[in-house]
Amino acid sequence: MLWTITIACLLLAGLIFRQSFRKRNEAPETLGEDAGLAILEFGRAFPGEAIRAVITTANGRTVFLRLHDGKAGCMHAHGHHYACHLIEPGTVRVSSAGPKRLEVRFANAAFEGGTFEFRDEKQAAEISLWLLGSFMPGLAGQNPQISGQPG
């Protein structure tokens, strides 16, 4: 009888150790805290897009990417996978929801929008510029009316 209880306790301890070890290893991926993984996944989804800058939200579950041609990208962590979106200028609505928060609504993917909180006000302001298409140096040089020049 004593051996049965000892073996049962050892098996229970082994299961508890295995679960805690598994949770510890999966935690960064589940929370979306690995920006390198996000960059790889976005590159796999959109191989022709060059990434210039990456900013993650405060909780690390959403990653915003500034691309080479004035477009932006957005990635949401869903467990071990990311939902990748290529955002064209004019397909998103952005409004302030506080000093470090932005409310973002996507025209082509309404279910992925929401309120996002960033680490500081500077990151929130930079993301709003990316999403609103205000930072488009290529287009500003081609069309004088975009950059405020008289036409």
Side-chain angles (χ1 to χ4, degrees), residues 2-62:
L2 184 60
W3 286 106
T4 307
I5 294 173
T6 305
I7 291 173
C9 288
L10 286 174
L11 286 175
L12 183 63
L15 286 174
I16 292 172
F17 177 74
R18 181 176 156 219
Q19 288 294 352
S20 67
F21 185 71
R22 181 182 293 173
K23 285 182 184 177
R24 196 173 351 141
N25 283 344
E26 291 178 357
E29 250 183 9
T30 320
L31 295 175
E33 293 175 356
D34 190 5
L37 178 63
I39 291 170
L40 289 174
E41 290 294 322
F42 192 84
R44 198 175 306 155
F46 301 103
E49 299 293 335
I51 299 170
R52 294 182 74 184
V54 176
I55 294 180
T56 60
T57 56
N59 65 2
R61 295 197 48 83
T62 305

Side-chain angles (χ1 to χ4, degrees), residues 77-131:
H78 296 287
H80 295 289
H81 305 285
Y82 282 95
C84 304
H85 297 286
L86 185 62
I87 304 167
E88 302 280 340
T91 62
V92 66
R93 298 180 86 181
V94 179
S95 60
S96 176
K100 298 188 290 185
R101 298 174 66 167
L102 292 176
E103 184 177 343
V104 180
R105 299 283 173 229
F106 299 106
N108 52 358
F111 62 90
E112 293 292 345
T115 303
F116 301 101
E117 184 170 353
F118 297 93
R119 289 177 180 82
D120 58 18
E121 294 87 5
K122 181 181 173 188
Q123 287 183 344
E126 192 165 347
I127 293 297
S128 67
L129 287 176
W130 295 356
L131 295 180

